[in-house]
Amino acid sequence: MTPLLPLPADASVREAVRFGAHSLTYERLDAASARLAARLAGAGRVAVWATPTPRTVVAVVAALRAGVPAVPLNPRTGTRELGHIVADSEPGVVLAGADDTLPPVLDAPVRIDVGIEPYGDDDAAPGGEGGGAATPLPEPSPESPALIVYTSGTTGPPKGAVLPRRAIAASLDALADAWQWTGDDVLVHALPLFHVHGLILGVLGPLRRGGSVRHLGRFSTDGVARELSSGGTMLFGVPTMYHRLAEALDGSGPEAAGLAKALAGARLLVSGSAALPVHDHERIAAATGRRVIERYGMTETLMNTGVRADGEPRPGTVGAPLAGVGLRLVDEDGTVLTGSGPETIGEIQVRGPNLFTGYLNRPDATAAALTADGWFRTGDMATRDADGYVRIVGRKATDLIKSGGYKIGAGEIENALLDHPGVREAAVTGEPDPDLGERIVAWVVPADPAAPPAKGELADHVAAQLAPHKRPRTVRYLEALPRNDLGKIMKRSLRP
């Protein structure tokens, strides 16, 4: 059976991961994960205290080798939510670094401090991990659970999406096809390792290809420039990161010039986890001559669509369905929409080998998420271009606004607002209106807080770019938009 993470032929010299000054070759990662995997065999579920360190990579790879589902934990999660995740997943073991302080809610699982063999100057030997070569373990079944990743819980407590090895392999191989991703690629990113984007795409992706990942630990424009200038070929980020890159490129002097040169030299610049505003697309392209490409996925489905490396990088779209992924748009009454164009808005439904097997302990939620014939209801609304490119307009619950008989996607209004020079950030929601059904509300962070643009001016700006019925009826100014750890705007927190 083909391993999920095959070992490259030059494992002794090829770098697998680098976190700042701490680097692991494939041989060293293999040795450390094999020893730990031998201890985890039969352990049930394993929680991983997912810090941005090599030990998190060793822990997850060890769990995968042992065939034990790993539950990545966000170290910044609050006590109540973390307690729910631990109680729901019931890990028998928690993997952490020797210097990590774990909260009391993790007192019950057996703690194993993750060590790295052979020990270097920066690695303290873990207590009780033992020595000697580990006995190789058989490759688990493709349908066996690999990871249990908890959703953000915007409509209730987080749910644990059970991701089988089959889904991880299918999704990463589809991206390799779309992006011409090989073992020669060096991926640069600073994404958290408790989520699909940073962990599966950002770590397991390079390891499946036999390539390398350089994790910045903490995002900085200087770090991006440094790593891309010294061999990095790909950059993964979220819109907040690309916005900061665009801001830095707007500056003058050697730092901005160096950043532009580094970004221009990358083979691929990829944004995900939320829509990248068209304004930032254009700023980066103008400064570097390179276009950022986008892809679309979810915790439950992994990757669904993506702009190909040899395709057209069209701002505002997330590309066409990836190989093996079925995608359709469905109206509110269940009718499958066959048309295309900006006025044909429907919910995205997907199916294929990239899908999860269900929510842990929640057969009711699993049944509600899937149609009778196996399509996953994403809750994301989109339009489709004639050539199959998908344009996300927002979440069904928060971003589809029904105003005056029209279905309006929040995303296009947000992009129009961001084109106004007086707007730094923008979010659009709908609120009940006795006449229109819902009125469009714009939440704006002004470029100059002391002199925000007139509200009527912003409404007229949107009406001129889009259509009169898409103009905001209400404009509210904020100092900052509420965002989660991945930079997504938390629209449910936007209240009058």
Side-chain angles (χ1 to χ4, degrees):
M1 189 177 298
T2 303
L4 179 62
L5 301 177
L7 200 63
D10 54 351
S12 62
V13 295
R14 182 177 288 263
E15 182 179 76
V17 298
R18 184 194 301 177
F19 290 75
H22 309 308
S23 173
L24 292 179
T25 62
Y26 273 90
E27 183 177 69
R28 195 174 178 198
L29 174 60
D30 179 62
S33 61
R35 294 181 191 281
L36 183 54
R39 298 188 66 189
L40 297 179
R45 300 185 192 104
V46 173
V48 177
W49 196 245
T51 57
T53 64
R55 287 181 173 82
T56 296
V57 179
V58 171
V60 171
V61 172
L64 291 173
R65 296 182 71 167
V68 176
V71 184
L73 300 178
N74 176 3
R76 296 176 58 185
T77 299
T79 302
R80 180 174 179 177
E81 183 172 312
L82 182 62
H84 164 76
I85 293 171
V86 172
D88 189 56
S89 60
E90 297 182 298
V93 172
V94 58
L95 303 177
D99 54 352
D100 289 332
T101 301
L102 303 184
V105 71
L106 285 167
D107 285 347
V110 175
R111 173 171 177 162
I112 297 179
D113 290 340
V114 180
I116 299 173
E117 285 278 9
Y119 304 121
D121 293 339
D122 59 310
D123 298 313
E129 196 161 314
T135 303
L137 296 169
E139 181 70 13
S141 161
E143 289 300 323
S144 64
L147 295 168
I148 301 173
V149 181
Y150 277 78
T151 61
S152 57
T154 55
T155 57
K159 299 186 292 290
V162 181
L163 300 173
R165 302 171 79 88
R166 167 259 304 159
I168 293 173
S171 207
L172 293 179
D173 291 349
L175 288 178
D177 170 69
W179 293 343
Q180 301 169 11
W181 195 349
T182 73
D184 293 329
D185 279 306
V186 177
L187 173 62
V188 177
H189 75 87
L191 299 161
L193 301 188
F194 52 82
H195 197 266
V196 164
H197 195 172
L199 179 59
I200 297 181
L201 273 64
V203 173
L204 301 186
L207 296 184
R208 184 162 173 81
R209 304 268 74 82
S212 176
V213 57
R214 298 182 187 174
H215 197 284
L216 301 178
R218 185 181 182 88
F219 175 82
S220 70
T221 56
D222 290 343
V224 169
R226 180 185 67 248
E227 296 301 338
L228 289 181
S229 297
S230 59
T233 65
M234 302 166 68
L235 176 67
F236 287 0
V238 297
T240 300
M241 297 174 181
Y242 280 103
H243 177 74
R244 293 174 184 171
L245 290 169
E247 293 279 290
L249 290 168
D250 283 345
S252 58
E255 292 83 5
L259 177 60
K261 183 178 179 180
L263 292 169
R267 190 176 71 80
L268 280 182
L269 306 175
V270 184
S271 181
S273 295
L276 180 63
V278 173
H279 179 57
D280 287 333
H281 268 288
E282 300 300 342
R283 295 163 75 192
I284 292 170
T288 67
R290 297 301 305 274
R291 288 279 185 183
V292 179
I293 65 173
E294 295 187 77
R295 84 300 179 283
Y296 162 63
M298 298 182 69
T299 302
E300 297 91 339
T301 67
L302 300 186
M303 295 301 106
N304 300 312
T305 73
V307 176
R308 297 183 60 88
D310 56 359
E312 179 187 355
R314 197 178 304 164
T317 73
V318 292
L322 296 170
V325 178
L327 183 147
R328 67 186 187 184
L329 301 183
V330 179
D331 208 349
E332 290 176 285
D333 61 2
T335 302
V336 177
L337 303 176
T338 58
S340 61
E343 302 306 321
T344 305
I345 299 177
E347 181 189 11
I348 298 173
Q349 294 185 356
V350 295
R351 68 177 178 184
N354 54 310
L355 260 61
F356 74 150
T357 54
Y359 295 112
L360 184 67
N361 304 323
R362 291 292 306 276
D364 57 331
T366 302
L370 296 169
T371 66
D373 52 350
W375 291 83
F376 179 79
R377 300 181 173 101
T378 68
D380 288 319
M381 307 301 292
T383 64
R384 182 173 44 206
D385 292 352
D387 59 1
Y389 269 45
V390 175
R391 295 176 180 266
I392 309 292
V393 301
R395 292 292 293 168
K396 185 176 183 180
T398 57
D399 294 314
L400 182 66
I401 303 166
K402 298 176 184 177
S403 183
Y406 294 98
K407 290 182 180 178
I408 302 167
E412 63 176 341
I413 303 174
E414 290 163 354
N415 278 322
L417 287 167
L418 288 167
D419 271 342
H420 191 286
V423 174
R424 181 180 179 85
E425 294 182 279
V428 169
T429 61
E431 290 181 359
D433 184 276
D435 178 43
L436 298 169
E438 283 187 293
R439 63 178 174 273
I440 299 169
V441 179
W443 305 79
V444 172
V445 178
D448 181 359
K455 296 179 179 181
E457 178 184 343
L458 292 180
D460 292 343
H461 174 78
V462 171
Q465 289 206 27
L466 301 177
H469 69 270
K470 295 181 180 180
R471 70 186 186 277
R473 304 293 178 131
T474 302
V475 177
R476 299 191 178 109
Y477 292 112
L478 298 172
E479 292 182 1
L481 294 175
R483 297 179 182 272
N484 65 13
D485 287 323
L486 288 174
K488 291 184 181 180
I489 299 170
M490 298 185 293
K491 291 192 174 181
R492 292 183 185 275
S493 299
L494 296 172
R495 294 288 184 268

